[in-house]
Every structure is written in C-alpha cells, then in structure tokens.
Amino acid sequence: MPDAAAEARARLRADCTRCAGLCCVAPAFAASADFAIDKPAGHACPNLRDDDRCGIHADLRERGFPGCTVFDCFGAGQQTVQVTFAGAPHWRDSPERAAAVFAAFGVQRLLHELLWYLTEALALPAAAPLHRELAAARGRVERLTAADAGELAAVDTGLLQAEAGALLLSVSELARAGVRSRPSAGPRRRVDQRNADLVGADLRRVDLRGVGLRGALLIGADLRGADLQLTDLLGADLRGADVRGADLSGALFLTRRQVAGARGDAATSLPAGLEHPRHWGAR
Ligand code: SF4
C-alpha cells in the first residue's frame, strides 16, 4: 500500500518542467555570496530564457548563483501555473498580469510550506493525540491551494501561520518529551533553544537530541557527527552548517532548503523524503 506521507511529500516537490520560471522573476536578489547580481522583485533574471528555463542551470554554483540551488518552492510553482492559472500564467503579457501571478505564487509558496510541516507532523507517531487536528488543518490548507487568484489574495497568511505554528509547537513538545539525557552524549543543551544565536558554534560534543532549535541561527555551526534525533529544526538557519557525518534522520521539520544550504557528505543521514543534494559531493 502506498505510504500516505510519501505521496504527500512527492506532491510538495518542485517540478520546474510544469512551472514558468516564477522563482526566477518574483523574488528580489541582492548581490552576495548566493547571487552574482542585484535583481529587483518582479524582474526576470537575465539568465532566464524565453522558454522559462535557466540558461546556466548546469553551472549555477560555478557562475555565482548557489542561492538558486538552495531555493525550494515546495511545488508551489507548478500549482500556481497549472491550477491557479490553468496552465496559462502569461506573466510576460502585462505588469498587471505579472503582479497577479507573482502575488498568487507568494501565497501558494507559504501554503505549500505549511503543507510540508503538517505532513511531517502527521507522520510522527508521538503526535497521535493531535492527528485529528493536524489532518483538519492540512485539509484546510490543501483546499486553499486549489483556490483562484482572487481567493488566494484574500487569504490571511499571518493567521494561517500563527494557527499552524501553535499546532506544530504542540507536536514538537509531544515528540520531544520522551528524549532522555544520555551520559555518553555530552553536556545537554537546554531543551528550548528557540531562536538561539549559535552562529559558528562548535556543537560536535553537545547532546542536541530532543532540543527545540526552531528559528535558531546555526549558520556555519559545527555539527559534524551530531545526533539530531527529535531535534526541532523548524525554520532554523543552517546555511553553511557543517553536518558531515551527522544523523539528521530523526530531526523534526527539516526541509530541502535547509539541507541544501548546509554542508554534508555521504555519511550524513537524512529523514525520509529528503535526498543528499548533488552539490554535497562536489564540495
Ligand atoms: S540563475 Fe537561473 S535559476 Fe537562478 S534565478 Fe536566474 S534563471 Fe533562475
């Protein structure tokens, strides 16, 4: 029997062949280590071809665009193009049309990211007491993804995020409650480290199992060989974090974008539904 979580995750995977280059136009870029150029929001990247494909796709990192290899729309691009605009987004036709398409894409992206987290929560056995609530929340978000552009524009995204965030926090607490300290695992972090500033921290010998690190800044942190079993990483910034040899297989709410932004290797273990990015092997 097909795994429901696997099916849901597959639907939340970007399919650029069914999109229209939306992520290459809608967001603004600032020239940095991630992007070689400045680009205002709503303007097409000069590397975007007329067929809505990237002209430097095979060499993004070498050409100064590693940020593009990290971006993940969770499938919102193809949903916007194929469902919201019925396969004919035509964002090049006029500024008004472009504004409508990119506004819808922004809402769809948020909805799809919420779907990812709610799907992960539903796959956790420890969250069973909240499964009914989670399924209802996911159903509501799922229905919104089928809305037309006008309905999407009226979605209160802040309220949706707040409601889902509270539910996901309860799930996290339930899931992490069973983790006990292990004398051999090093000093234990405080269990709630939300939004902690751990930029560049050496966390190799810290017991992070079951720790809440949602929203934490882990940029460039050294997590080599770390065991992140039931560590809540929702929204944590893992850019440049060294996760070589780390066990992230049981980490909570990890996304492709976080994985792609970190530095891992063949020995890094990831949760179901996430694969080793191709560029890990090239580093
Ligand atoms: S470099 Fe390629 S993938 Fe990145 S925004 Fe430009 S066209 Fe898109």
Side-chain angles (χ1 to χ4, degrees), residues 39-102:
K39 183 191 86 61
H43 288 243
C45 170
N47 296 316
L48 186 67
R49 302 186 315 211
D50 290 344
D51 65 356
D52 294 333
R53 299 286 172 265
C54 173
I56 60 166
H57 182 71
D59 309 306
L60 283 165
R61 293 194 155 251
E62 296 73 16
R63 301 279 290 269
F65 290 84
C68 300
T69 66
V70 170
F71 182 81
D72 184 20
C73 75
F74 296 91
Q78 69 258 27
Q79 184 77 5
T80 304
V81 167
Q82 301 298 336
V83 177
T84 315
F85 291 93
H90 300 314
W91 58 263
R92 287 182 172 88
D93 283 4
S94 68
E96 294 73 25
R97 179 68 173 185
V101 172
F102 299 135

Side-chain angles (χ1 to χ4, degrees), residues 13-213:
R13 178 179 291 281
D15 180 354
C16 304
T17 65
R18 299 173 61 231
C19 185
L22 302 189
C23 65
C24 306
V25 189
F29 303 161
S32 62
D34 286 330
F35 299 104
I37 55 168
D38 281 318
K39 183 191 86 61
H43 288 243
C45 170
N47 296 316
L48 186 67
R49 302 186 315 211
D50 290 344
D51 65 356
D52 294 333
R53 299 286 172 265
C54 173
I56 60 166
H57 182 71
D59 309 306
L60 283 165
R61 293 194 155 251
E62 296 73 16
R63 301 279 290 269
F65 290 84
C68 300
T69 66
V70 170
F71 182 81
D72 184 20
C73 75
F74 296 91
Q78 69 258 27
Q79 184 77 5
T80 304
V81 167
Q82 301 298 336
V83 177
T84 315
F85 291 93
H90 300 314
W91 58 263
R92 287 182 172 88
D93 283 4
S94 68
E96 294 73 25
R97 179 68 173 185
V101 172
F102 299 135
F105 175 52
V107 178
Q108 286 284 16
R109 193 180 173 292
L110 183 135
L111 296 176
H112 281 68
E113 185 168 359
L114 288 182
L115 283 177
W116 176 270
Y117 296 135
L118 292 167
T119 298
E120 294 310 302
L122 273 162
L124 288 170
L130 292 170
H131 274 188
R132 185 190 292 242
E133 233 179 303
L134 284 165
R138 189 172 69 176
R140 280 194 297 275
V141 178
E142 188 87 51
R143 282 191 290 281
L144 284 172
T145 65
D148 64 27
E151 290 167 316
L152 285 175
V155 171
D156 186 339
T157 53
L159 181 64
L160 263 186
Q161 277 180 304
E163 287 174 352
L167 190 51
L168 294 169
L169 184 59
S170 300
V171 168
S172 170
E173 285 165 354
L174 272 178
R176 294 186 291 115
V179 179
R180 297 282 170 264
S181 61
R182 203 164 54 191
S184 61
R188 188 141 175 78
R189 279 262 160 190
R190 278 190 292 114
V191 171
D192 190 348
Q193 291 277 305
R194 257 180 281 180
N195 304 318
D197 184 348
L198 296 166
V199 174
D202 184 349
L203 300 169
R204 284 174 297 171
R205 279 175 284 280
V206 178
D207 184 4
L208 292 169
R209 293 170 308 117
V211 173
L213 285 173

